[in-house]
Structure formats: C-alpha cells, structure tokens
Amino acid sequence: MTDGASPDGWPVRLRGVTESVVTTLGPNGRWNAAALGLHAPDGSVEASGGSVTARTYGRTRTWRNFTERGGGVVQFTTDPRTFVDAALTVHEVDDPVLATADAWVEVRAEQVASETDGETTIRTWELDPVESAVLAERVPTVNRGFGAVVDATVAASRLDVPGFDEGALLDRLAYFADVVERCGGPAEGEAFARIHEVTGWRDRSPDGE
C-alpha cells in the first residue's frame, strides 16, 4: 500500500500514518474529539492482520471510551483549527460527526497489543469499519502551513512530558510558526494562535519568539 489504497469499508485512501480526528462517546453523553493517527495495513504492524490500526498513549479519554464503548467515529478534515482543538484541548461536542468533516467512518475498536514505554502504556487498536460516508469532495492541494500546524500539535503535546527536551520542542514550534506565517492562510494562522493560547509556548521560549 505504498501508493495508498482504500481498505474495505473505509471512505478514503490511506498510506503510512494518516492523521484523523476521532469522536468517542463519554460517560457524560457527549462526544470527545481527539487526534488519532491511522496506520495503514501495510504489514508494518504485526498485530494488524491487514486491518487499519491506531495507538493510544496512556489513560486518555479515547482509551477509556474505546474500552467502555467499543468504538467511535473516525473523521477526515483539512481544517487545522479542528486538529489543534482535538490534539491539545478537551474538546467535547454534541454530535459524533464534526461540522468540518469531509468524510467519516464509524469503527469498532478492539485492543490487539499493549506495550510500556517508561510510565506510559501504549495500546494498539484494530479498527473495523461499520458504516461510512463522504460529505465533501475536493481537489487535493498542498499547503506547508497546514502540515506545520499538524506537526506543531505533536511538539506542543509533548511539552512538560518527562523524557522530552523542552528547548528542542520550543525550537521546533518556533520553526513551525515561521512556516505558518510564510505559507499558511488565515485558518492556519488562527490554528497556530490557538496553540499558543493553550500552551503558552511563546512565553516559555528564551527569546520570546
């Protein structure tokens, strides 16, 4: 699947690790939106058996809801603000399908592997599609600003996590901020401003960038 393919029951082509947002139903009756990397069934994950898999790190809401509810709704969006809120905040909504979703797929989630890295338990889930829909079709475009926002959410989520060098993470965030300023549009700019609002990373940088 190096060129990407549509696994059975999935509404989009997947390759490598595809970034998505998953909504899972919490005990309060609301849907929690979180970032979720989808591993294409290319044989790199032995436990996948040809299925799409994903990993949760620690005792997150997605882990809890997968465990208690047995699944969720994976959705695909190109809105950078949605990614920031899903990756860095507790973002709860009333409906399982987000307004910014271009496509969605309801999945059953079954834990198929578990490992420990330091104090963090990493669980691998096999995702079995139940129902899906494509809501919008668009011509693919490449915007470095969008990619920078997605990568920045990873760096920002590791601030204050033991084992990660804060200085290196702040340097990465400063670089991504520059990319967004030069290459992104208004949505990317709003998304990056939201990263600072949530983490205060600029105030932690030695040079205040």
Side-chain angles (χ1 to χ4, degrees), residues 188-198:
E188 287 76 25
E190 290 176 19
F192 219 91
R194 177 70 169 144
I195 294 176
H196 172 64
E197 178 184 337
V198 173

Side-chain angles (χ1 to χ4, degrees), residues 3 33 40 47 52 56 58-60 69 76 78 80 88 95 98 101 105 136 139 168-169 181 187:
D3 294 328
V52 176
T56 57
R59 301 174 66 85
T60 63
R69 303 286 184 171
F76 303 91
T78 56
L88 300 179
D95 299 309
L98 301 172
V105 53
V139 176
L169 294 173
E181 184 176 352

